[in-house]
Amino acid sequence: MAFLSVARRSGLMQELSEVVALKAVADAARWQRAGLDLNVAINLAPSELLSGKLLPILYEAIESAGIPAHVITVEVTEDTFLADPERAREILLDVRRHGLKTSIDDYGTGFSSLAYLRDLPVTELKMDRSFVATVCTDDRSRLIVASTIDMAHALDLRVVAEGVESAAVTAEV
């Protein structure tokens, strides 16, 4: 986390995000060639997503690598939608048009809105570990996780639970 803060303050996040995205696509291509059917998620900060600079680079890299776009998931946090919701929606629609998947990262910790799930072209929710890790000890967390999973599945969304680090948590989730 300290590294990312320094990169942001130094104005290097765009370049760092490009390097990470290109590496993720190269890894996905290498795994595809090896016969492995793996998906790769790339977490984009709101500024990188909304700048409009990184996605064309990502699309070109995917095309050049010759991999199916659906193996790449673009993860965004909820605060991406706060600054400019309409622009964020248009960008996510563009991501979908290019065949990539989209995920709302750390779902439940920000200003979670059911309108996001209704209005945005997302394919996945990543529930934050602060809920998932405590499902065995906190009834409210267990209810939040269970209801979020039920709702996401009813909306045909994939669910990823962060913080599953024991068999007991796995059984609850």
Side-chain angles (χ1 to χ4, degrees), residues 67 73 92 128:
I67 61 172
T73 300
L92 292 180
D128 189 73

Side-chain angles (χ1 to χ4, degrees), residues 88-140:
R89 184 177 190 289
E90 288 303 316
I91 288 171
L92 292 180
L93 285 169
D94 184 58
V95 169
R96 176 174 273 183
R97 278 191 295 274
H98 281 86
L100 287 75
K101 296 176 191 167
T102 53
S103 177
I104 297 178
D105 192 19
D106 298 332
Y107 184 77
T109 60
F111 296 95
S112 298
S113 170
L114 297 178
Y116 297 152
L117 303 182
R118 181 192 64 205
D119 299 338
L120 294 174
V122 297
T123 53
E124 176 182 280
L125 290 183
K126 282 183 69 179
M127 283 189 298
D128 189 73
R129 72 177 45 254
S130 63
F131 297 110
V132 175
T134 59
V135 296
C136 294
T137 58
D138 181 54
D139 289 337
R140 288 178 157 222

Side-chain angles (χ1 to χ4, degrees), residues 75-86:
E75 294 183 358
V76 296
T77 54
E78 294 174 41
D79 56 344
T80 304
F81 313 116
L82 295 178
D84 191 347
E86 190 53 39

Side-chain angles (χ1 to χ4, degrees), residues 10-165:
S10 302
L12 297 173
M13 275 309 288
Q14 179 71 34
E15 291 83 0
L16 178 60
S17 294
E18 286 179 26
V19 168
V20 170
L22 294 175
K23 175 69 172 147
V25 171
D27 287 346
R30 183 169 42 87
W31 295 329
Q32 289 271 316
R33 287 191 304 273
L36 299 171
D37 186 24
L38 299 174
N39 293 309
V40 177
I42 302 169
N43 195 307
L44 297 181
S47 57
E48 282 79 51
L49 183 71
L50 297 174
S51 75
K53 296 176 184 174
L54 183 59
L55 289 176
I57 293 167
L58 180 59
Y59 300 151
E60 174 60 32
I62 292 167
E63 187 175 328
S64 294
I67 61 172
H70 68 81
V71 303
I72 304 294
T73 300
V74 173
E75 294 183 358
V76 296
T77 54
E78 294 174 41
D79 56 344
T80 304
F81 313 116
L82 295 178
D84 191 347
E86 190 53 39
R87 173 130 172 82
R89 184 177 190 289
E90 288 303 316
I91 288 171
L92 292 180
L93 285 169
D94 184 58
V95 169
R96 176 174 273 183
R97 278 191 295 274
H98 281 86
L100 287 75
K101 296 176 191 167
T102 53
S103 177
I104 297 178
D105 192 19
D106 298 332
Y107 184 77
T109 60
F111 296 95
S112 298
S113 170
L114 297 178
Y116 297 152
L117 303 182
R118 181 192 64 205
D119 299 338
L120 294 174
V122 297
T123 53
E124 176 182 280
L125 290 183
K126 282 183 69 179
M127 283 189 298
D128 189 73
R129 72 177 45 254
S130 63
F131 297 110
V132 175
T134 59
V135 296
C136 294
T137 58
D138 181 54
D139 289 337
R140 288 178 157 222
S141 290
R142 185 174 20 263
L143 289 170
I144 289 169
V145 168
S147 62
T148 300
I149 290 170
D150 288 345
M151 177 186 60
H153 287 164
L155 293 169
D156 199 28
L157 298 174
R158 183 172 182 262
V159 181
V160 174
E162 296 177 329
V164 177
E165 298 176 359

